[in-house]
Amino acid sequence: MLKSLRARLSVTVMFFLALSLGVLGVWLTTELRALLALVVGSILVIIYIQAVRKPLRLMAEVALGIANGDFRRRADVSGPTEIRQLARALNNMADNLERELHRVQVTAEKLQAVLGSLRDGVLLIDNRENIELINPRAAEMLGFNVEVALGKRDTLLLRHPELSELLRQARREGSACYGRILLGGQAAHHIRAAVLPLESKRMLIVLQDLTEVYTAIDIRRDFVANVSHELRTPLTSLGLMVENLLRGALDERDVAEDFLRRMAGEIERLTEMVMELLKLARLTEMVMELLKLARLESGQEKLRMSGFLAGELVQEAVSTMQGLLVSRRQKVVLEGEKGVVFSADREKLKQVFINLLDNASKFSPPGSTITIGLREHSHEVDCSVKDRGAGVLPEHLPRVYERFFKSSPSRGGGTGLGLAIVKHIIEAHGGSVYVRSKLGEGSTFGFTLPKKSEMGSI
């Protein structure tokens, strides 16, 4: 404010000086008037230059600081009107640049956080095949250092020719290209590479490590081959011995007894192998159930909500379990309101009914009836599955939905995860589970789901 007052005072002094000299010039000759005008003009120019030079110098320093990244400095708004307007414009530009830089920094931090958390590798290649961007996962897959790889062309071309060829193919064709490449020498990693051309002439490369998938495929293939070989040997022996017995060896008692003893040994061997396969199948089932439960707990399983009739879904679940129910001569009865409408993930809710039916079938005696109940209340829908088993001990009721829990070793040979999965699916829908049981009269396992208006988006 003091500087502004000083500038106004200088202009006022200049005005009065010019007025005084103008009055004086009335009594002077023409030559002296011209000389006086020249002197006065020079003085006025010098005074004006002095008034604007310092603000301009300060603005130049501020502009230079902004160019070097210092957005905290601001120009002093003082001096003549034009200088003040220029200072305000410079300060507004600095404010806008500071806000834009902050927005860019926040965006860059978010991008780095996303790229850093991805399990897939991501690279961005410019039109001269230089690496513009690479996330840590891609650097790990390709054996690069992130800082060293940025801006390098030969690194990608020389060390990974398969990927470079895929890159050139996508550039030539102008469309996405996919390929499978091997990385890592002896400990090879199977990588699925996707190269996508962008409108900016850049190329986006996404690398997905499928080593575990191909390892599982190899293990399965080897397992099938080994099992086939192990089964073929005793079956071949049994076939040859049966054929010899039919050709006449049966009439020779000593030979027949030897064949029968050997056949019994081969049958015992086959039985042991089948039992091992059953154990392996049960272990595989448990692993799959654990993976499913882990995805539910971590929130990786997204709900695909839709509306559908509860009665239709129950019939689908019963049809899926029909083989088990027929083998145990069990019957399923649907009671209640078949027209109840669910608003839920259809496939996941079907899994709930399958698990509850499987649980009821295991613990109900052969030839018994399983009852499924559907009830609609003002704010929720109630579903239940009642068995005719021995019931659950009161002290075990709070734990029946825990993973791996079995109230007694005699209660079936399942994985102990079915009811835990039911609980997580229902809770993911905003509902709750319950169990009611009386010894000797069976158990009722059920759940409640809020109606659509109360569920909102999940």
Side-chain angles (χ1 to χ4, degrees):
M1 184 175 180
L2 184 61
K3 292 181 180 179
S4 178
L5 183 62
R6 197 180 309 160
R8 291 194 186 95
L9 184 61
S10 299
V11 173
T12 304
V13 171
M14 289 166 54
F15 173 77
F16 281 109
L17 178 61
L19 182 64
S20 300
L21 291 175
V23 173
L24 180 63
V26 174
W27 290 281
L28 298 178
T29 63
T30 302
E31 292 79 4
L32 290 175
R33 284 179 192 164
L35 179 61
L36 182 62
L38 179 63
V39 171
V40 171
S42 300
I43 293 173
L44 292 175
V45 168
I46 292 171
I47 293 174
Y48 187 80
I49 290 174
Q50 290 294 332
V52 301
R53 185 176 63 177
K54 186 175 180 180
L56 286 175
R57 187 179 70 251
L58 293 175
M59 279 190 280
E61 293 176 358
V62 171
L64 184 62
I66 293 173
N68 293 328
D70 183 6
F71 296 97
R72 293 173 298 178
R73 299 190 61 178
R74 294 293 182 271
D76 184 27
V77 183
S78 63
T81 303
E82 294 80 2
I83 299 299
R84 293 199 303 272
Q85 291 175 347
L86 181 60
R88 291 191 186 96
L90 182 63
N91 290 341
N92 290 336
M93 182 188 71
D95 292 338
N96 293 335
L97 285 175
E98 187 175 16
R99 284 193 297 269
E100 187 65 20
L101 179 63
H102 177 71
R103 187 186 68 80
V104 170
Q105 288 175 339
V106 170
T107 303
E109 289 174 0
K110 291 179 180 179
L111 178 62
Q112 289 296 329
V114 171
L115 291 176
S117 63
L118 287 177
R119 296 184 61 187
D120 295 339
V122 177
L123 297 94
L124 187 64
I125 310 296
D126 65 15
N127 56 1
R128 290 186 290 183
E129 297 187 351
N130 296 319
I131 300 175
E132 280 193 352
L133 182 146
I134 179 171
N135 72 336
R137 182 59 177 147
E140 179 186 347
M141 289 181 182
L142 299 173
F144 292 163
N145 179 284
V146 174
E147 288 74 16
V148 174
L150 290 176
K152 295 295 180 65
R153 177 174 181 266
D154 293 339
T155 304
L156 189 64
L157 292 175
L158 296 178
R159 294 180 61 174
H160 303 288
E162 294 176 338
L163 187 57
S164 300
E165 179 56 35
L166 201 62
L167 183 67
R168 293 193 182 96
Q169 180 186 346
R171 198 179 295 279
R172 285 194 307 269
E173 298 177 359
S175 59
C177 291
Y178 304 89
R180 174 184 165 191
I181 60 177
L182 291 175
L183 302 175
Q186 292 182 346
H189 286 260
H190 299 267
I191 305 296
R192 183 179 184 270
V195 182
L196 301 96
L198 304 178
E199 292 184 1
S200 61
K201 304 300 182 183
R202 293 177 174 85
M203 308 292 284
L204 179 66
I205 301 177
V206 180
L207 305 175
Q208 186 178 14
D209 192 346
L210 299 179
T211 304
E212 293 183 0
V213 175
Y214 285 104
T215 300
I217 292 173
D218 292 339
I219 292 173
R220 185 180 65 180
R221 183 174 57 247
D222 294 341
F223 173 75
V224 171
N226 292 334
V227 169
S228 300
H229 175 73
E230 292 295 328
L231 290 174
R232 190 181 300 116
T233 302
L235 288 174
T236 302
S237 298
L238 286 171
L240 290 173
M241 285 184 282
V242 169
E243 185 179 352
N244 286 328
L245 287 172
L246 292 174
R247 285 182 178 180
L250 191 61
D251 298 331
E252 301 179 23
R253 184 177 180 81
D254 293 339
V255 175
E257 289 180 356
D258 179 56
F259 277 0
L260 289 173
R261 279 194 296 270
R262 290 164 62 183
M263 289 170 68
E266 294 295 345
I267 291 173
E268 184 178 351
R269 180 182 171 191
L270 281 172
T271 302
E272 291 177 358
M273 290 173 60
V274 170
M275 293 303 295
E276 290 298 322
L277 288 175
L278 289 174
K279 290 179 183 177
L280 182 61
R282 187 170 297 171
L283 179 61
T284 303
E285 180 188 358
M286 181 178 293
V287 170
M288 296 302 294
E289 295 290 337
L290 278 172
L291 289 174
K292 186 185 298 183
L293 189 57
R295 287 195 297 269
L296 288 169
E297 291 177 336
S298 64
Q300 295 178 8
E301 289 281 343
K302 302 301 181 183
L303 299 180
R304 299 178 180 178
M305 307 297 287
S306 63
F308 49 90
L309 290 174
E312 293 181 358
L313 185 70
V314 170
Q315 291 299 333
E316 290 181 19
V318 172
S319 298
T320 303
M321 299 296 295
Q322 196 64 37
L324 176 64
L325 297 170
V326 170
S327 68
R328 296 179 61 83
R329 305 187 314 281
Q330 293 169 334
K331 183 173 64 173
V332 176
V333 175
L334 179 58
E335 293 182 349
E337 305 163 23
K338 299 180 182 180
V340 170
V341 175
F342 282 135
S343 178
D345 186 313
R346 186 184 183 95
E347 290 303 315
K348 288 184 173 56
L349 207 59
K350 180 179 175 181
Q351 184 66 51
V352 167
F353 278 108
I354 288 174
N355 287 9
L356 292 177
L357 280 171
D358 180 63
N359 182 74
S361 176
K362 285 177 183 175
F363 306 140
S364 294
S368 60
T369 299
I370 298 170
T371 304
I372 297 179
L374 297 173
R375 298 286 186 275
E376 185 174 16
H377 304 294
S378 57
H379 299 293
E380 62 185 16
V381 177
D382 186 292
C383 308
S384 62
V385 177
K386 179 176 176 57
D387 63 51
R388 298 294 188 273
V392 181
L393 293 172
E395 59 267 26
H396 291 160
L397 288 176
R399 301 188 59 197
V400 292
Y401 285 100
E402 293 180 8
R403 63 173 70 189
F404 301 120
F405 177 76
K406 295 181 182 179
S407 58
S408 69
S410 61
R411 289 180 65 84
T415 62
L417 295 170
L419 292 178
I421 291 174
V422 167
K423 179 182 178 183
H424 280 281
I425 291 176
I426 295 302
E427 289 181 348
H429 283 80
S432 60
V433 295
Y434 62 85
V435 58
R436 295 189 290 268
S437 183
K438 185 177 291 187
L439 293 179
E441 297 183 11
S443 305
T444 300
F445 290 83
F447 61 89
T448 59
L449 285 179
K451 288 189 175 179
K452 183 179 180 180
S453 60
E454 297 181 12
M455 291 172 66
S457 60
I458 299 179

